[in-house]
Amino acid sequence: VGRGNMAHFINDYLPVVALLTLIMILPFVFEWIAVSYERRKTMSDVQDSIVGRYFYYQVANIYVTVTAGSIWAALADILDQPAALLQILGESIPMMVGYFLSLLITKILAGLPMVILRGGALSRMFLLRTCFNRKKLTQRELDEVYRKEPLYFGWEYPTQMLVIMIAFAYACISPVILPVAAAYFLGALIVYKKQVLYVYTATYEGGGRLFPVACDKTLVGLIISQLTFIGYSLIRKGQRQPLFLFPLPFITKYMIYYFREHYATPSTKLSLERAIELDHVVHLKTADRDADESDASRVGKEKLAQRFKEEYYRQPVLTLEAGRPMPYRREKGVDELTATALKTLQASVSRFQIMTDEAKQGVQSGSSSPRKNRGRRRLDV
């Protein structure tokens, strides 16, 4: 009996664990493709690429699993009665809900707690306390241990879309999956709300670029589930049901277009009226509190003009100043060696400033810079 229970447990949960492991590895593969092969330049673009590839993998995974699993489970009956293929598939497709129930339960009991535990930060802390002497680590090494944790949208969005696509696919075929999916989203709301508010720190600004993408992908999943249910109704020899269900994919497709035209596209542009209003608010916040409201906008505009620097629009690698050494411990202040190094670097300027000074000297002397002269001599030769 023990061996039988163990074999039953392995047969039920080993495929689920294998799938979850693959789901955890795939974002690394997709990120490598986006960064190293496609050479995408921005973090938001990389995350957008991961979301798209991850989503289409999940679509293939869910519906190939449903189809192949149903055919495999009913293969013997199909070989015995080939004429009854549609009837056999209609009876076997709902039986695949057990696999996805196991997947959702595993995500509730194991996936969400892993999000709270934050395995990466926990392992770094464990290695710091067991394998290293804290007193011998530099401040930069300690900052690496306590570094900020960003929210990887390319990982988290597809995780939620996987659950909602499973719920869409089986909502009418096997409604028993709906309470489990609702339980998962309740737990996810609690977990991710806490993580976003108190743990994750934004390391880049994407401007909400991925939210319309997630909405589009969710509605695409709804269209696929509607087509699946229409096909299932035909398999079950339904006559009136497919006729009533037929307009649903077209309505959903229209809603995707409507949301994109009325919300997603306008959100990427700023109206002139809104821009003027935002400038006015910024000027009021920048002005002195004691200034009159009628004069606050002018005072704020003058202060912003004084703070503005030309380097804001320059290439960051050119405006980057020389590196500054960090103290041994930030809480203890600057030690003597660090103070000496900072004093030496006090007079250093950025590469852009050096280039600007050389250009000014060339203009004042009426000749080109030595670098340009060298280039011209090479061209003359």
Side-chain angles (χ1 to χ4, degrees), residues 176-247:
V176 68
I177 205 168
L178 292 178
V180 182
Y184 170 82
F185 282 115
L186 176 61
L189 174 63
I190 298 172
V191 170
Y192 283 101
K193 185 176 181 180
K194 183 259 180 186
Q195 297 293 93
V196 170
L197 290 176
Y198 299 107
V199 177
Y200 296 138
T201 303
T203 55
Y204 67 94
E205 179 57 57
R209 171 180 176 177
L210 290 177
F211 182 73
V213 175
C215 293
D216 285 352
K217 296 291 189 290
T218 302
L219 291 177
V220 169
L222 179 59
I223 291 176
I224 297 174
S225 65
Q226 290 167 348
L227 294 174
T228 303
F229 186 56
I230 292 174
Y232 177 72
S233 300
L234 292 173
I235 288 176
R236 299 295 290 179
K237 298 181 180 179
Q239 297 179 357
R240 296 190 181 92
Q241 293 87 346
L243 294 177
F244 287 104
L245 295 172
F246 182 76

Side-chain angles (χ1 to χ4, degrees), residues 322-336:
R324 298 294 191 267
M326 298 178 64
Y328 174 69
R329 287 294 181 269
R330 189 177 289 109
E331 58 271 12
K332 293 183 180 180
V334 179
D335 55 285
E336 183 178 355

